[in-house]
Amino acid sequence: QVTLRESGPALLRPTQTLTLTCSFSGFSLNTSDMCVSWLRQPPGKALEWLALVDWEGDEFYKTSLKTRLTISIDTSRDRVVLSMTNVNPVDTATYYCARQSDGYGHGFDSWGQGVPVTVSS
Amino acid sequence: SYVLTQQSSVSVAPGKAARITCGGDNIGLKSVHWYQQRPGQAPVMVLFYDDDRPSGIPDRFSGFNSGNTATLTISRVEAGDEADYYCQVWDSSSDDWVFGGGTTLTVL
């Protein structure tokens, strides 16, 4: 059974760094074509893809946020971490991690439940 | 950047068919994936590669993609289908995973 679970702080102050962890089971990032992404959804708004790491450790970022994001695979290779620097209130959203099991062009076939993050002074 | 355009809302009576569209430049040349998101829940993939259904998704959900429009059709709509629906593609030219703005399906 594939599961993903996000964890991280519920509240941050502006300019702080957000660090989120996606813990997963039921699949391996050592498997060819396997990818894990971070996505977010501001309250009442649409889904937005942020970053992806693939089975080879290659990283991809949303262009407009590239300078603020870092995605990495934990040494255990069963967790993916996202860091976002210099947060501000517009970064308030529910953050999801999701899996693609058949390469970049496949859909996001499994999702975590999401973690709500609020940025406020 | 690649843009996907969806209707903001669709309303349908129970038992009727709902059609949710997703517009994009030559979207027919891309693979489109569709997600259902019920209030307060995470998204769930309901179609992938235009018209394939993941296991557990009823065959009332179908898809078509051609030209500049992809369509998700839900036949014999039920109250439980009420949700937001998002289309998504991979824009390989910019390595961007793009979502539409979402369509809220209301069952009358």
Side-chain angles (χ1 to χ4, degrees), chain B:
Chain B
S1 61
Y2 194 78
V3 175
L4 295 175
T5 302
Q6 297 184 239
Q7 315 123 294
S8 58
S9 63
V10 168
S11 299
V12 64
K16 301 297 186 182
R19 291 176 180 79
I20 296 172
T21 61
C22 177
D25 185 36
N26 286 318
I27 194 173
L29 300 178
K30 300 182 183 298
S31 293
V32 179
H33 316 292
W34 290 92
Y35 305 88
Q36 175 192 69
Q37 186 178 32
R38 295 188 173 105
Q41 297 186 18
V44 172
M45 187 167 68
V46 293
L47 291 178
F48 63 100
Y49 293 144
D50 298 340
D51 60 0
D52 284 337
R53 281 175 289 104
S55 60
I57 301 300
D59 60 5
R60 299 185 298 104
F61 289 79
S62 63
F64 184 75
N65 183 21
S66 180
N68 293 316
T69 305
T71 303
L72 165 68
T73 300
I74 309 172
S75 305
R76 305 180 301 282
V77 163
E78 303 172 355
D81 298 329
E82 197 162 87
D84 292 331
Y85 291 84
Y86 293 92
C87 57
Q88 178 257 315
V89 301
W90 172 45
D91 181 18
S92 58
S93 66
S94 60
D95 279 328
D96 191 9
W97 285 260
V98 181
F99 287 84
T103 298
T104 298
L105 175 65
T106 299
V107 181
L108 300 170

Side-chain angles (χ1 to χ4, degrees), chain A residues 1-47:
Chain A
Q1 180 188 4
V2 173
T3 65
L4 301 100
R5 186 181 75 249
E6 306 87 350
S7 58
L11 177 65
L12 284 95
R13 304 303 180 193
T15 75
Q16 288 186 317
T17 295
L18 170 64
T19 301
L20 297 168
T21 300
C22 174
S23 304
F24 60 85
S25 63
F27 67 96
S28 172
L29 263 174
N30 293 321
T31 302
S32 182
D33 291 340
M34 200 69 71
C35 307
V36 172
S37 281
W38 281 96
L39 309 97
R40 70 181 178 182
Q41 186 173 36
K45 296 190 177 181
L47 296 163

Side-chain angles (χ1 to χ4, degrees), chain A residues 73-96:
Chain A
I73 306 173
D74 187 86
T75 51
S76 64
R77 293 194 70 85
D78 60 359
R79 284 180 289 187
V80 172
V81 177
L82 179 75
S83 294
M84 176 185 290
T85 61
N86 193 27
V87 297
N88 60 78
V90 299
D91 297 314
T92 294
T94 296
Y95 287 75
Y96 297 97

